[in-house]
Amino acid sequence: MTQAVLLSATDLTVSFGGVKALSDVDLAIERGSIHGLIGPNGAGKTTLLNAISRLVRPSAGGITFDGHDLLSHAPHEIAQLGIARTFQNLGLIEQATVVDNVLVGLHTRHPASIIDEVALVWRRNRAERDALHAAGGVLKAVALEHVADVSVKGLSYGTRKNVELARACVGDPKLLMLDEPTAGLNAAEMDRLKTLLLSLRDTRGVTILIITHHVEFLVGIADVTTVLDLGRVIAHGTPNQVHRNPRVVSAYFGSE
Amino acid sequence: MRASPASLAFICGAALLLAIAPAFAGSYVRYLIVIWLIYSISAVGLNLPIGLGRLYSLGHGGFMLVGAYATAVVTTQWNWPAPVALVFAIMLAIATGILVGLPALRLRQFSLAIVTFAFGYTLFHLVKSFNVFGGPQGIFMPQLWLSSAFSGLPVYYLTLALALASVLAARSIASSKTGRALRMIGENETAAASLGISLTYYKLVAFIFASVLGAVSGFLHAVATGYVAPETYSAELSITMFAAVMIGGKGTLIGPFLGAGFIVAVPEFAQASQGLAEILYALLFLGIVTLSPGGLAGASDMLRARMRGTHAIPDKKAAAR
């Protein structure tokens, strides 16, 4: 039996040299949901993602994902468990082509070893063919087929964000964590992203944790929204509920 | 660096050309080709950590030293046959690569460069100080069938075959999982780890690949020249190999061959003008590195792009070769 909660963080505390970036954060992400994470600058949203990715070490608390204690895993083992993410400042290989970047997302699923690459070349070739096939499918889904063989360096910011999203999706993750995917997108691009995320959830059953500054983006797609401010959870509920929550309003605009 | 059929055709064509070259070339030209290919093999190895993973190793000469001295010691003192010596040299290089790599690869950029430099430097003084290794005089290799039969043709073809094998291996690695993992590490270690790439493992793989080809190159150099001396494998060799990768064009398939050609040919051409060789060499080095950051391989792309009036997209062009 699978549990309803895919990822749960309990009493999570992260400090950077005395400054608490997160204090006693509880978070439960339900399987198959789109979970919004909002909050003013410096609220600790990215730190929370980084803690799940094991890029920062919590000083207290625990994170469980799909029955695994995440804190007992090394950063590079997190992807293997089924967690993929994108970065706020893009983490693409600038000199590589779009399809090569997407193929990096298949790293944990790609069966070729260094021995295959050097000696058993037919096994490497078979693995590469399968990987290219999978990458091609994802590129089609995000409408990037036409730039597949173009170097990432020359592409627009919005397109590169899409490449990163494709790279995160290609490995069929259980949990997809997106750090500011809406930043710098125009209205049409945002609509396309919305459709894409919904179809990821509905057809592939991907659970999505999404950080955004565009609260209105979450309305209509997020099942739940958690609001962070100064490292603490200040509200939790549907996007519309938190939108009207006085604590949230005062966190964003200040209170009188 | 996607593996395109064109690059395979190019590699095979060049190998074929070199295979029939002995029919036309004199023994001196043949010797130059062998030396060029030997340095190319070494550079192909070093190109993996430097060109893909941006792991700046300045101790590559140390691995060539390990290969050459392992070969010289076991063939002269224990009378091992050459093929066994090659296998031994490779094993020793792998062991050394792990021993140096495991602690050193935790470091980055300058720290890594300094530590690897110190490694090569230490080995140089080690072989110079102990008589087992021939001390400052070095070791004369015994008469080997490889280098003496058919006026040296066996070593010529062995070198050619190993050069071909190493570039094909590099091509296969670079255009597959390991190559992408290394490029991701070179670009952004944090993102690489989040994508499931083990930094330790892939850095070590790149480092070991380089050390194996370094040892193969050292083995061939010992066999082809018949003499192993510490001065050949001084710290300067590490710098020269680093320079060869940068001059040729790091991260490209053909770059190591261009770079190795540069470091072999320029001193050869400038030999007539005593002392000028180093100056000319240094000036050309400066010129290439400043004018074309992509090295010689990158320069041709830049020129072609300029003639067509478009900007070069280095990656697409590099794939064609």
Side-chain angles (χ1 to χ4, degrees), chain A residues 160-210:
Chain A
R160 295 198 302 184
K161 286 198 93 110
N162 258 340
V163 176
E164 215 191 11
L165 186 63
R167 184 180 70 181
C169 295
V170 72
D172 266 329
K174 290 177 190 154
L175 175 65
L176 180 62
M177 304 195 294
L178 307 173
D179 197 348
E180 296 280 6
T182 56
L185 298 193
N186 60 36
E189 286 170 328
M190 264 195 231
D191 274 345
R192 228 174 297 142
L193 180 65
K194 220 178 238 187
T195 318
L196 181 70
L197 295 185
L198 285 171
S199 88
L200 272 174
R201 181 191 65 181
D202 298 337
T203 62
R204 300 212 200 186
V206 182
T207 307
I208 300 169
L209 176 63
I210 175 171

Side-chain angles (χ1 to χ4, degrees), chain A residues 55 75-76 79 87 91-96 99-100 103-104 107 110 112 114 117-118 124 128 132 149 151 167, chain B residues 2 172-173 175-178 180-181 183-184 187 190-191 193-198 201-202 205 313 315-316:
Chain A
L55 299 175
H76 73 264
F87 290 86
L92 295 169
I93 310 174
E94 291 287 311
Q95 304 285 337
V99 66
D100 272 345
L103 286 170
V104 180
H107 184 84
H110 197 293
I114 181 78
E117 289 169 346
V118 173
R124 164 215 179 272
E128 274 297 289
L132 273 171
D149 291 318
S151 169
R167 184 180 70 181
Chain B
R2 288 283 292 290
S172 171
I173 293 174
S175 58
S176 177
K177 184 183 180 182
T178 305
R180 286 190 295 265
R183 297 176 78 177
M184 194 64 241
E187 187 82 30
T190 313
S194 290
L195 286 157
I197 298 165
S198 162
Y201 176 79
Y202 282 97
V205 162
I313 303 170
D315 232 85
K316 287 188 79 179

Side-chain angles (χ1 to χ4, degrees), chain B residues 175-225:
Chain B
S175 58
S176 177
K177 184 183 180 182
T178 305
R180 286 190 295 265
L182 280 169
R183 297 176 78 177
M184 194 64 241
I185 290 172
E187 187 82 30
N188 185 333
E189 290 198 355
T190 313
S194 290
L195 286 157
I197 298 165
S198 162
L199 304 183
T200 319
Y201 176 79
Y202 282 97
K203 284 181 178 185
L204 202 58
V205 162
F207 205 61
I208 290 175
F209 181 80
S211 62
V212 165
L213 290 196
V216 168
S217 159
F219 163 87
L220 289 169
H221 199 267
V223 172
T225 59

Side-chain angles (χ1 to χ4, degrees), chain A:
Chain A
M1 193 195 109
T2 51
Q3 286 167 320
V5 173
L6 180 64
L7 180 135
S8 71
T10 41
D11 298 328
L12 203 64
T13 301
V14 174
S15 341
F16 295 121
V19 180
K20 280 192 174 171
L22 291 178
S23 28
D24 303 322
V25 168
D26 288 310
L27 179 78
I29 301 175
E30 290 201 13
R31 209 178 279 274
S33 67
I34 293 181
H35 195 122
L37 189 58
I38 62 170
N41 285 328
K45 306 180 296 288
T46 298
T47 305
L48 182 54
L49 249 61
N50 286 346
I52 298 171
S53 296
R54 299 287 290 111
L55 299 175
V56 299
R57 178 179 293 276
S59 48
I63 311 172
T64 326
F65 173 78
D66 207 18
H68 299 275
D69 172 17
L70 282 194
L71 299 188
S72 67
H73 286 88
H76 73 264
E77 293 166 351
I78 300 300
Q80 188 91 50
L81 298 175
I83 300 181
R85 68 171 289 181
T86 63
F87 290 86
Q88 206 172 338
N89 300 317
L90 297 178
L92 295 169
I93 310 174
E94 291 287 311
Q95 304 285 337
T97 60
V98 168
V99 66
D100 272 345
N101 269 290
V102 174
L103 286 170
V104 180
L106 281 168
H107 184 84
T108 56
R109 302 211 154 194
H110 197 293
S113 71
I114 181 78
I115 305 293
D116 297 338
E117 289 169 346
V118 173
L120 314 173
V121 185
W122 60 94
R123 289 176 54 165
R124 164 215 179 272
N125 290 346
R126 194 184 331 126
E128 274 297 289
R129 255 199 312 276
D130 293 348
L132 273 171
H133 184 74
V138 171
L139 283 176
K140 199 169 175 179
V142 293
L144 283 177
E145 288 163 296
H146 60 293
V147 288
D149 291 318
V150 175
S151 169
V152 161
K153 203 171 55 176
L155 298 174
S156 74
Y157 182 71
T159 311
R160 295 198 302 184
K161 286 198 93 110
N162 258 340
V163 176
E164 215 191 11
L165 186 63
R167 184 180 70 181
C169 295
V170 72
D172 266 329
K174 290 177 190 154
L175 175 65
L176 180 62
M177 304 195 294
L178 307 173
D179 197 348
E180 296 280 6
T182 56
L185 298 193
N186 60 36
E189 286 170 328
M190 264 195 231
D191 274 345
R192 228 174 297 142
L193 180 65
K194 220 178 238 187
T195 318
L196 181 70
L197 295 185
L198 285 171
S199 88
L200 272 174
R201 181 191 65 181
D202 298 337
T203 62
R204 300 212 200 186
V206 182
T207 307
I208 300 169
L209 176 63
I210 175 171
I211 294 181
T212 178
H213 272 295
H214 296 91
V215 183
E216 70 280 5
F217 178 81
L218 292 176
V219 178
I221 75 159
D223 304 292
V224 197
T225 298
T226 301
V227 189
L228 283 177
D229 184 36
L230 300 171
R232 291 177 184 281
V233 176
I234 57 165
H236 185 81
T238 66
N240 274 323
Q241 281 168 351
V242 301
H243 209 35
R244 286 192 294 267
N245 186 314
R247 288 186 68 188
V248 176
V249 175
S250 80
Y252 271 96
F253 304 108
S255 52
E256 298 188 20

Side-chain angles (χ1 to χ4, degrees), chain B residues 28-95:
Chain B
Y28 175 65
V29 173
R30 230 161 54 202
Y31 174 77
L32 278 187
I33 293 178
V34 167
I35 297 297
W36 166 54
L37 288 177
I38 288 173
Y39 281 108
S40 298
I41 292 173
S42 184
V44 166
L46 189 58
N47 191 30
L48 204 63
I50 291 184
L52 299 186
R54 296 195 195 161
L55 302 166
Y56 294 116
S57 162
L58 277 178
H60 195 56
F63 292 109
M64 293 169 73
L65 180 151
V66 167
Y69 270 86
T71 306
V73 169
V74 302
T75 49
T76 52
Q77 309 200 351
W78 303 336
N79 291 318
W80 287 13
V84 185
L86 175 60
V87 173
F88 177 72
I90 290 175
M91 300 293 229
L92 197 63
I94 293 176

Side-chain angles (χ1 to χ4, degrees), chain B residues 169-287:
Chain B
R171 176 179 177 272
S172 171
I173 293 174
S175 58
S176 177
K177 184 183 180 182
T178 305
R180 286 190 295 265
L182 280 169
R183 297 176 78 177
M184 194 64 241
I185 290 172
E187 187 82 30
N188 185 333
E189 290 198 355
T190 313
S194 290
L195 286 157
I197 298 165
S198 162
L199 304 183
T200 319
Y201 176 79
Y202 282 97
K203 284 181 178 185
L204 202 58
V205 162
F207 205 61
I208 290 175
F209 181 80
S211 62
V212 165
L213 290 196
V216 168
S217 159
F219 163 87
L220 289 169
H221 199 267
V223 172
T225 59
Y227 177 52
V228 176
E231 299 306 329
T232 315
Y233 305 97
S234 65
E236 202 181 323
L237 177 63
S238 295
I239 310 274
T240 309
M241 290 316 306
F242 183 84
V245 172
M246 301 302 281
I247 291 173
K250 61 180 164 48
T252 64
L253 277 180
I254 201 175
F257 289 87
L258 297 177
F262 183 87
I263 63 169
V264 171
V266 172
E268 208 62 40
F269 283 129
Q271 220 167 29
S273 48
Q274 299 254 318
L276 265 182
E278 283 79 8
I279 298 172
L280 188 69
Y281 179 76
L283 285 177
L284 276 172
F285 182 29
L286 276 177

